[in-house]
Amino acid sequence: MSGHGAPIPMTSHPCGALTGTAEVPGDKSISHRALILGAMAVGETHITGLLEGQDVLDTAAAMRAFGADVRQIGPGEWRVHGVGVGGFGEPDQVIDFGNSGTGARLVMGCMASSPITVTFTGDASLRSRPMARITDPIALFGAQSFGRTGGRLPMTIIGAANPVPVRYTVPMPSAQVKSAVLLAGLNAPGQTVVIEKEATRDHTERMLAGFGADISVEATYEGRVITLTGQPELKPQSVAVPRDPSSAAFPVCAALIVEGSDITVPGVSQNTTRNGIYTTLLEMGADIAFENEREEGGEPVADLRVKFSSLKGVEVPPERAASMIDEYPVLSVVASFATGKTVMRGVKELRVKESDRIDAMARGLQACGVTIEEDQDMLTVHGQGPGGVRGGATCATHLDHRIAMSFLLLGMAAKTPVSIDDCGPVATSFPVFEPLMADLGARLERDVK
Ligand code: S3P
């Protein structure tokens, strides 16, 4: 969906202790990949726990436009009848990815080695994001791209009729780019090799192996070397999507900063390519117990028992950035209630997310009375101590769900309410955020004029 309705301003009022259980929805990264690989398998894939946020629904619509039969059969339960690797048909309409960089970039990859022409667009946020990081590597397979200046959407891609396999070193830490190249490699004959210097989330590699592709990962002096043999017949799977650790971070962080809180967040993934936020929170002195550690849907998970904590500022090392890249906005809120400063380095990728997240957080936190330092690749938050943040401002969210949810958390623990200009984008990744947080005790109010 391109754009969304009129902005919905929301105010988060300071609240009492948060208590209860927060069952967060399915993982967004895994949900996109389950639909895409299901569409590229021969036969019927069954998915449970799918995140039904707008981003994932847009990927489902794209797979339908390419010829796959994609249906919801119950809440979170979906069936995908795939067309096989190389079986995509040409959509007869523009593919609109709304707010979703992951959906757009992964799907650009998976169509790049098929002889079809596809035009992509998205909302104002997605239309401003760099796509050369995808069009450069897919050109090596033989795909041609015609976008706006700076490689932005709208963009038309003509997939390669005779794709060749590639060897590609991903220039920035990006699971989207790695995954796009691997998905393009699926329909190229021979071996496609992707090298990443820093490990990023590994859901694509895990799921490709699960769907029967011949894929291997080797740790070398160059980094992680991933080798995929093209043109496999992917076998349909049953995919149980685990809960999203990035969404779980919101109730977890809310409980840490709202005095007296004690909550449980069950089934949170502890995949080491995703759990950097939990490592950081523990270093800050967070009271988080990891209970019932087990495996669910092929991922290590635990139930998190989280209590309000007196936190201290920390230095977050740059090499941890990839494993918590989506959690810096909420970490900067937590850091505002810590004692001492929190320094986050190696975070320049935050500038090209749904918004420039360094800038968006710095502006909003400053407006709420928090002292911030920033440069191109770093954000420092000077903590005001437990309950010490003034609040009392309206923060701009720039069509960014994680910025919106982060400032709503700030309001829960600040001295005065915090408002945001638009809570609409929250539905892209966490459609039940509002009722889930309200059940725990948050006081969120839509501002109706
Ligand atoms: C994602 C990768 C990350 C992350 C995004 C989801 C994925 O983006 O920020 O929310 O599912 O592959 P980058 O690849 O741009 O780091």
Side-chain angles (χ1 to χ4, degrees):
M1 282 184 41
S2 203
H4 65 295
I8 311 163
M10 182 177 267
T11 296
S12 175
H13 297 270
C15 61
L18 301 174
T19 53
T21 298
E23 295 195 340
V24 304
D27 188 87
K28 183 151 74 75
S29 295
I30 296 177
S31 294
H32 284 296
R33 287 157 172 82
L35 290 169
I36 293 169
L37 290 185
M40 297 178 88
V42 178
E44 196 167 294
T45 285
H46 182 240
I47 309 172
T48 51
L50 190 87
L51 167 65
E52 288 164 342
Q54 192 56 50
D55 280 9
V56 174
L57 298 180
D58 288 340
T59 291
M63 292 302 101
R64 258 183 227 119
F66 284 3
D69 183 8
V70 183
R71 285 171 205 225
Q72 187 197 32
I73 49 178
E77 192 179 351
W78 289 62
R79 211 202 59 186
V80 182
H81 204 95
V83 293
V85 169
F88 282 155
E90 185 170 275
D92 61 3
Q93 57 197 309
V94 171
I95 303 297
D96 188 338
F97 269 104
N99 194 250
S100 179
T102 306
R105 290 175 173 146
L106 264 49
V107 172
M108 286 175 174
C110 75
M111 58 71 55
S113 48
S114 293
I116 56 175
T117 298
V118 183
T119 300
F120 295 86
T121 193
D123 70 5
S125 157
L126 187 56
R127 292 197 308 272
S128 74
R129 296 180 69 184
M131 293 298 162
R133 54 180 61 198
I134 302 297
T135 55
D136 287 352
I138 65 175
L140 304 174
F141 288 94
Q144 291 172 273
S145 310
F146 305 90
R148 286 164 57 227
T149 317
R152 320 241 161 202
L153 302 188
M155 176 180 288
T156 296
I157 299 180
I158 304 177
N162 296 299
V164 289
V166 311
R167 180 180 176 88
Y168 189 70
T169 302
V170 183
M172 70 291 288
S174 170
Q176 292 175 356
V177 176
K178 167 180 66 178
S179 302
V181 179
L182 289 170
L183 292 171
L186 274 177
N187 198 33
Q191 289 192 326
T192 285
V193 179
V194 184
I195 300 152
E196 58 176 2
K197 289 177 234 158
E198 290 173 54
T200 62
R201 64 191 69 195
D202 61 358
H203 309 303
T204 304
E205 298 92 301
R206 285 170 180 254
M207 209 180 278
L208 276 168
F211 274 77
D214 179 4
I215 183 166
S216 65
V217 183
E218 211 189 333
T220 74
Y221 70 94
E222 286 178 288
R224 284 179 84 236
V225 179
I226 307 155
T227 305
L228 172 73
T229 304
Q231 300 184 328
E233 181 171 307
L234 295 183
K235 305 202 170 35
Q237 295 299 301
S238 281
V239 182
V241 181
R243 298 184 196 281
D244 194 320
S246 298
S247 296
F250 289 99
V252 166
C253 290
L256 290 174
I257 59 175
V258 176
E259 208 175 324
S261 297
D262 181 353
I263 68 163
T264 300
V265 189
V268 180
S269 169
Q270 295 304 305
N271 178 322
T272 52
T273 63
R274 295 289 296 279
N275 71 350
I277 182 67
Y278 300 102
T279 307
T280 303
L281 293 171
L282 291 176
E283 286 175 4
M284 295 175 85
D287 184 349
I288 305 177
F290 297 80
E291 298 171 350
N292 302 321
E293 287 173 328
R294 60 198 182 274
E295 191 147 303
E296 267 177 21
E299 297 275 328
V301 302
D303 301 335
L304 270 44
R305 173 97 187 262
V306 190
K307 295 182 186 164
F308 167 74
S309 305
S310 207
L311 301 169
K312 61 177 194 307
V314 291
E315 292 247 349
V316 188
E319 59 275 14
R320 195 179 293 157
S323 69
M324 54 176 289
I325 194 65
D326 290 334
E327 283 67 73
Y328 284 97
V330 74
L331 176 64
S332 64
V333 168
V334 171
S336 302
F337 294 95
T339 305
K341 68 176 181 182
T342 295
V343 186
M344 303 165 234
R345 292 185 207 281
V347 293
K348 63 174 181 291
E349 274 293 303
L350 296 182
R351 296 211 178 265
V352 290
K353 294 293 178 189
E354 285 80 335
S355 68
D356 176 340
R357 287 181 170 164
I358 296 180
D359 191 68
M361 289 313 298
R363 298 289 84 77
L365 288 173
Q366 276 164 339
C368 290
V370 182
T371 305
I372 298 294
E373 289 162 60
E374 61 167 302
D375 71 21
Q376 185 56 24
D377 196 26
M378 183 269 287
L379 178 66
T380 296
V381 175
H382 291 262
Q384 317 282 295
V389 176
R390 188 192 68 219
T394 297
C395 303
T397 54
H398 307 283
L399 289 177
D400 190 328
H401 53 132
R402 297 197 204 279
I403 300 296
M405 291 185 278
S406 297
F407 285 126
L408 293 172
L409 254 64
L410 190 79
M412 294 172 200
K415 292 176 184 152
T416 51
V418 173
S419 299
I420 57 172
D421 57 353
D422 187 12
C423 69
V426 170
T428 61
S429 70
F430 201 158
V432 297
F433 177 80
E434 206 180 326
L436 180 144
M437 292 308 304
D439 276 355
L440 297 177
R443 293 171 55 218
L444 304 175
E445 196 183 9
R446 289 181 181 231
D447 303 336
V448 245
K449 295 255 154 54

